[in-house]
Each structure stands twice: as structure tokens, then as C-alpha cells.
Amino acid sequence: MFYLIGLGLGDATDITVKGLRAVKSCSRVYLEAYTSVLTGGKEALEEFYGRELIVADRDLVEQQADQILKDAHVTDVAFLVVGDPFGATTHSDLVLRAVNAGIPYKVIHNASIMNAVGCCGLQLYRFGETVSLVFWTDTWRPESFYDRICKNREAGQHTLCLLDIKVKEQSEENMMRGKKIYEPPRFMTVAQAADQLVQIVQRRRAEGETLGLTEDTLCVGLARLGADDQVMRVATLQQLVSCDLGGPLHSLVITGQLHPLEVDMLQLSAEADVMKNLRVLDGSTYWS
């Protein structure tokens, strides 16, 4: 059997009982280590699970998937994913490869940012398309995520923004020279994400574009969701540019039309006086 097992959001103890039993039955256990991270790291997981873990980086998962699936038709193999197994499309590819190879598989689900984001007080069914914000470089500054956020807001929907993670990445120079030298890990913060969005807003305003998002848009910054030290900060986009929510992982929510119950929940984590610009139209609450 090939198992895809979700580990949840916080630490080693967030694995389900079903997932832990599967891990203990497997001859090989891989830990996917590039789409997300857990607090404590690989050693803490190994101590709690009582099993040695094989770190599966992007190259192994995307270029050498057959190595992961090797012998899974005659022995149990586990692939561990922070959050839920289907939080990344790469993991769907593993399932398809297993099916094509005649290997039975089983998915053991767990909590992920996609549903845990509801802890901020925004109702899950009022979210639109999830977007990813990537680190800009000197020569690459994509803005497509801004347009998708605006599309969600036009429909009155909130937007969950997943922030970039750089783990075991090479510089362009080392990649061109074929040197296996990797850059230090980097995790985008809420402040960095807000700053990139503000720069887009300012540029498009200067070009005379009608804005679907401004510096005054109400947002929610999230850090280390599911951990004991998780942080939520409700503030305007501009205010979040200067916020410090501590260590990774961070996520950002851009609000759309707000239900009165959502307003009440957001006030629990709001910056002082940040909710004063709310107004009610036709029985619905909006951020002006």
C-alpha cells in the first residue's frame, strides 16, 4: 500500500491516530519538505513517530517519484505531507503514478490552512479562489495574484493568500554552473506580502486604473496557525506592511463583503480603531 498521510498544521502530535498507525506499519516513510514545514522539524517527528524519516525534496518528488513508489506493491510506503495530502498538485501526480503502476493507495486526511483559516472569524463558504504570492526579484515581479484578489472582491468574496516558501533553492549563478549549492531557506512574511500588494496598488493608481484593492482594505495576517503560539492580526493592508508576526509560516487574508457575525469575530483580533470604517448597506456590512 502507498499511504499519503496529512500531518496537520502545528507539530508532531497533530497527526491522526489512523495516520500514526499507518506510519508505524510502513517499511519506508518519506517526509515532503518543500511545500510547508512543521514546528520542531524532522527530528521531533522521528522521536514522536518512532520511525526514521526520509526527507523528500522537490527534486525527489517531481523528478524521481518512481523511487518513492518502489516496491509499494509488496510493502507499505508512507508519504507524509504537512497539512492535508492534497494541498499541492504534486501529490495528485503521485496518486496517478501509483494507479498507473498498479499500486493500491490510501489517503489519510488532516487539517490544513484551507480550512483552519476559519479561526480568524471569516466564514469558509464566503472565500473565493485561493492565490499564491511569490517573492519578487529584480527581474521578475508578477502581479496576476492581485487581479485574482480583485476578482474575488468584486464578488464579495474573501481571498486566502498562501505565501512563498523557498527551501533548498539554488541561485541562478549556481544553477547555471551546475553547482549543488543551496540558498538559506526563506519564508515570506505577512509584512512582505502586504508590501508587494501596496506597491502594485500604488503603481496601478498612478496609471489611472480603477482599484479593486487599496491600502485601506481590511486584511488578516496569520502566523503559525495551529501552533500554541499562533498569531492573528486584523488591520488594513498598509498597517500590515510594518507588522511583525514572528517566525514562519505566515498567511494573508484579504476580506471581501463582511457579514455582521464576521465583523464581531474580527474585532477580537483587530488593531485599535481599525473597524471604525465599516458601513452597512442593504443589511450587509462592507469595508469602505
Side-chain angles (χ1 to χ4, degrees), residues 60-276:
L60 178 60
V61 178
E62 296 184 353
Q63 307 298 326
Q64 305 175 55
D66 291 344
Q67 181 177 330
I68 296 174
L69 295 171
K70 182 180 179 182
D71 299 330
H73 60 291
V74 294
T75 188
D76 290 337
V77 176
F79 186 81
L80 310 184
V81 181
V82 177
D84 188 80
F86 289 123
T89 54
T90 298
H91 309 140
S92 298
D93 179 69
L94 281 173
V95 168
L96 293 173
R97 287 175 179 270
V99 171
N100 290 335
I103 298 170
Y105 75 92
K106 182 174 292 186
V107 178
I108 301 177
H109 295 283
N110 210 322
S112 78
I113 185 63
M114 302 295 287
N115 65 290
V117 68
C119 72
C120 73
L122 299 175
Q123 297 164 8
L124 292 178
Y125 59 84
R126 298 171 65 86
F127 277 77
E129 179 184 357
T130 299
V131 305
S132 297
L133 271 65
V134 297
F135 280 113
W136 280 349
T137 69
D138 293 337
T139 58
W140 188 58
R141 297 167 67 91
E143 299 184 2
S144 58
F145 50 81
Y146 170 87
D147 297 309
R148 295 200 296 277
I149 292 170
C150 292
K151 184 177 180 181
N152 282 344
R153 282 176 54 78
E154 287 174 8
Q157 297 174 318
H158 314 309
T159 306
L160 170 61
C161 303
L162 305 178
L163 308 188
D164 203 1
I165 295 173
K166 298 291 187 186
V167 178
K168 202 173 181 182
E169 298 276 344
Q170 292 178 275
S171 66
E172 291 185 11
E173 180 181 355
N174 286 327
M175 190 178 300
M176 293 176 63
R177 294 183 176 182
K179 294 183 177 180
K180 293 291 185 180
I181 300 175
Y182 300 100
E183 300 292 298
R186 288 193 298 153
F187 305 93
M188 182 181 284
T189 66
V190 163
Q192 290 171 319
D195 182 62
Q196 288 189 181
L197 284 168
V198 166
Q199 290 186 55
I200 296 172
V201 167
Q202 293 174 343
R203 185 187 68 76
R204 297 200 179 193
R205 179 185 291 118
E207 294 179 352
E209 183 175 318
T210 300
L211 299 175
L213 172 71
T214 73
E215 298 92 336
D216 293 326
T217 297
L218 188 66
C219 302
V220 185
L222 304 165
R224 300 173 302 284
L225 210 59
D228 291 337
D229 63 344
Q230 74 173 27
V231 175
M232 291 184 285
R233 182 76 51 79
V234 178
T236 66
L237 184 63
Q238 184 65 62
Q239 288 172 327
L240 288 180
V241 171
S242 58
C243 77
D244 181 3
L245 302 186
L249 291 172
H250 290 197
S251 302
L252 175 66
V253 177
I254 312 295
T255 64
Q257 180 180 333
L258 293 170
H259 186 278
L261 287 177
E262 293 179 311
V263 174
D264 291 340
M265 289 294 293
L266 289 175
Q267 286 176 332
L268 300 178
S269 306
E271 292 281 307
D273 299 328
V274 77
M275 309 298 286
K276 64 184 178 181

